[in-house]
Amino acid sequence: MRTLTRVALGAALTLAVLGYGTAAFADGAVVIHDNVQDETIVIDFTNPCTGQTDQLTLVQSGNSHTTLRPHETMSAHDNFHGTFTFRDGTRGKFGAVNTIAGGVNGVEPSIIRARGTTPTGEPVQTDFHFHFTQNGNGEIVVEFAKGC
């Protein structure tokens, strides 16, 4: 279950939808800001480490900031926190930080930390770190510093 929790939180928080508010700057950059409060996200998933299926419910609050530049580069940062619940009743709290930068070359490090308990009271804790890079040839490397 601990591995399932780690991967589920990592996937869910990384895929959370970003921003709606926008602004424009003199260089043509578009800036998107989003603040959410108690947003509920339900995710059905398969754990790539174990093959198990489950459902994760997140209730999250936080903010994101994305800048899209006219010369095909961008940067983004988001910071979310909240609660998680799995179908079996495992629940707890999480915090997540994600940054993205690049254009033709891209980089995305993410850190997710969560603590909770199973229905039987067993503690569950995860510290999920991953780093995604893409070079100008389209080659992608994903490294899990911590995770499954």
Side-chain angles (χ1 to χ4, degrees):
M1 176 48 101
R2 289 179 188 195
T3 300
L4 185 62
T5 301
R6 290 176 188 169
V7 172
L9 286 172
L13 297 171
T14 301
L15 297 175
V17 176
L18 300 178
Y20 300 108
T22 62
F25 288 83
D27 70 351
V30 175
V31 177
I32 304 166
H33 296 280
D34 186 31
N35 294 303
V36 298
Q37 185 68 37
D38 297 328
E39 174 185 48
T40 299
I41 300 171
V42 178
I43 301 167
D44 293 308
F45 66 94
T46 300
N47 182 327
C49 300
T50 66
Q52 293 176 292
T53 59
D54 203 343
Q55 185 177 74
L56 174 67
T57 301
L58 298 174
V59 179
Q60 68 177 10
S61 297
N63 60 68
S64 64
H65 176 97
T66 303
T67 303
L68 305 170
R69 298 248 176 239
H71 52 283
E72 299 182 12
T73 62
M74 60 89 63
S75 64
H77 174 80
D78 61 81
N79 186 339
F80 288 90
H81 62 277
T83 61
F84 65 89
T85 306
F86 286 97
R87 190 178 285 145
D88 74 351
T90 297
R91 60 183 60 239
K93 295 182 179 187
F94 73 89
V97 175
N98 184 53
T99 57
I100 302 172
V104 175
N105 298 310
V107 117
E108 178 186 357
S110 292
I111 299 172
I112 300 152
R113 292 194 170 129
R115 281 189 176 172
T117 56
T118 66
T120 61
E122 181 182 352
V124 174
Q125 182 173 328
T126 186
D127 194 5
F128 186 84
H129 299 203
F130 80 89
H131 189 91
F132 170 95
T133 57
Q134 179 177 4
N135 66 24
N137 296 325
E139 299 165 330
I140 296 173
V141 175
V142 178
E143 299 172 305
F144 292 93
K146 293 184 179 180
C148 65

